[in-house]
Amino acid sequence: MIEIRKEIGVPKYKQIINSIEIAILSGVLKKGDQLPSINKIKSENKLSRDTVLAAFNELKNRGIIQSVVGKGYYVSSENIKVQQKIFLLFDELNSFKEDLYNSFLENLDKNIQVDIFFHHFNETIFNKLIHDNLGEYNYYVIMPANLEKTSNSIQLLPKDKVYILDQIHDDLLEYPAIYQNFEKAIFENLMQASEIVKKYDKLIFLFTDNKQPKTMLNGFKKYCENEEISFDILNKIKDEPLKKRELYIIPDDKDLLRIIKKMKSQDLTLTDDIGVISFNDTLLKEIVEGGITTISTDFNEMGKRLAEMIINKEHSKIENPSKLIIRNSI
């Protein structure tokens, strides 16, 4: 199966890779088949153990083979065109994260495989996913969300293979990242709309502590205190009726729908009776109720820029800016 020739000028570890690829293409090796052991290839071809291991590690990183402790190496994929594998860990999937994901894929080479996972804001799941995939990927893109002490698991990964996405915590500053500055985004965009915002008597911020970035709350408080505006912070929508001349700042889309439903049940209208500012623009928010005002980053640009960082091996920190899109809801 393994053919090594000295006179062709191709590194021996590459010849091992080529031999295994040919065996897969010809059907000699199929998914689930066991490869000859490192020692067998070494002794039969008079190679060093490091040479064989280098070939196996490259095939492993590409997802072509996998190691099973105590048993050996097995074919895990017959797609030999895959050159690199990327581990992508999201908090959850929603419409704007899907835009980010699709943009990321579109701007990568077609021979790069991306495997997506979700931790759902659960620290145990987050740690397990990283531990279970140590050494299996060329790059690790991680969205820590607002989970604490994520660096305990992330530091187990090769430092030059990790990229942080969306939120960057103080203990992750050593890693390259493309992120949002949530405190700056909410403060500056509310300031931009301040003339409209001040027509309301009170601002209500619906803030879910286990999901939303805490810096977002800092920006909201900073704005209200700076402009001397009455405000309240709620972690869920109360059973009491909505009050007229209140403006709701809503990061979560489910809460947005609940507010609209409640508004309709009270025969209230947007802008005239209550105001709404949502986060993260989507096509639906352009249409529902004549358009919902949003504070949003460009998730397509974020996905594109992330792909460029990985392709170019760029180790920098990039702030993805946010903007205010004023529509019918304020």
Side-chain angles (χ1 to χ4, degrees), residues 2 55 64 100 125 132 134 150 184 206 218 235 266 277 290:
I2 307 298
I64 306 302
L100 191 163
I125 294 174
D132 288 351
L134 292 173
T150 54
K184 176 182 174 183
L206 288 172
N218 296 339
N235 59 15
Q266 293 181 223
I277 297 177

Side-chain angles (χ1 to χ4, degrees), residues 94-309:
N94 43 42
S95 56
F96 46 90
K97 300 271 177 59
E98 188 174 359
D99 289 343
L100 191 163
Y101 174 67
N102 289 333
S103 176
F104 181 53
L105 292 185
E106 288 168 6
N107 287 280
L108 287 173
D109 189 284
K110 300 304 179 187
N111 291 334
I112 296 178
Q113 176 181 317
V114 178
D115 295 337
I116 186 168
F117 303 86
F118 302 94
H119 60 71
H120 301 290
F121 305 95
N122 184 300
E123 185 178 341
T124 301
I125 294 174
F126 179 94
N127 292 330
K128 185 176 189 305
L129 285 170
I130 290 181
H131 281 255
D132 288 351
N133 290 281
L134 292 173
E136 298 295 326
Y137 290 86
N138 300 90
Y139 296 101
Y140 295 81
V141 177
I142 296 172
M143 186 179 286
N146 57 0
L147 295 175
E148 296 181 355
K149 299 179 180 178
T150 54
S151 62
N152 291 342
S153 288
I154 294 174
Q155 68 184 359
L156 300 174
L157 301 168
K159 185 177 177 182
D160 61 340
K161 303 297 184 184
V162 175
Y163 290 83
I164 304 300
L165 185 61
D166 204 37
Q167 286 193 62
I168 185 163
H169 304 165
D170 289 343
D171 57 352
L172 298 175
L173 294 176
E174 62 183 313
Y175 297 101
I178 181 162
Y179 66 96
Q180 296 188 65
N181 186 330
F182 292 97
E183 180 172 341
K184 176 182 174 183
I186 190 167
F187 177 78
E188 291 188 354
N189 284 296
L190 286 177
M191 286 295 294
Q192 183 182 331
S194 209
E195 188 174 334
I196 302 173
V197 169
K198 285 182 177 179
K199 75 179 186 181
Y200 296 95
D201 296 333
K202 191 175 188 180
L203 270 59
I204 312 293
F205 190 29
L206 288 172
F207 182 79
T208 308
D209 190 55
N210 68 330
K211 290 182 71 174
Q212 270 85 55
K214 293 175 176 58
T215 51
M216 187 183 286
L217 185 60
N218 296 339
F220 174 75
K221 288 180 178 178
K222 180 180 176 182
Y223 169 77
C224 293
E225 291 165 0
N226 187 76
E227 297 299 294
E228 298 181 339
I229 296 175
S230 177
F231 69 93
D232 200 358
I233 298 165
L234 306 177
N235 59 15
K236 63 179 181 178
I237 298 169
K238 293 184 176 180
D239 294 331
E240 290 85 3
L242 301 177
K243 295 180 181 178
K244 291 186 176 183
R245 299 186 61 78
E246 289 185 339
L247 172 62
Y248 286 82
I249 314 292
I250 311 173
D252 187 83
D253 286 355
K254 288 182 180 178
D255 284 337
L256 171 63
L257 296 176
R258 292 185 186 107
I259 286 289
I260 292 174
K261 183 178 179 180
K262 195 165 186 135
M263 178 192 76
K264 288 181 176 294
S265 71
Q266 293 181 223
D267 290 324
L268 300 175
T269 58
L270 280 177
T271 309
D272 293 335
D273 297 320
I274 68 165
V276 166
I277 297 177
S278 179
F279 277 80
N280 305 316
D281 203 40
T282 63
L283 183 60
L284 182 64
K285 292 173 189 177
E286 291 183 34
I287 300 168
V288 68
E289 293 297 312
I292 302 296
T293 296
T294 61
I295 295 172
S296 183
T297 197
D298 186 334
F299 289 98
N300 286 302
E301 178 61 25
M302 182 178 275
K304 178 184 177 183
R305 193 67 186 86
L306 174 63
E308 292 172 350
M309 289 175 72

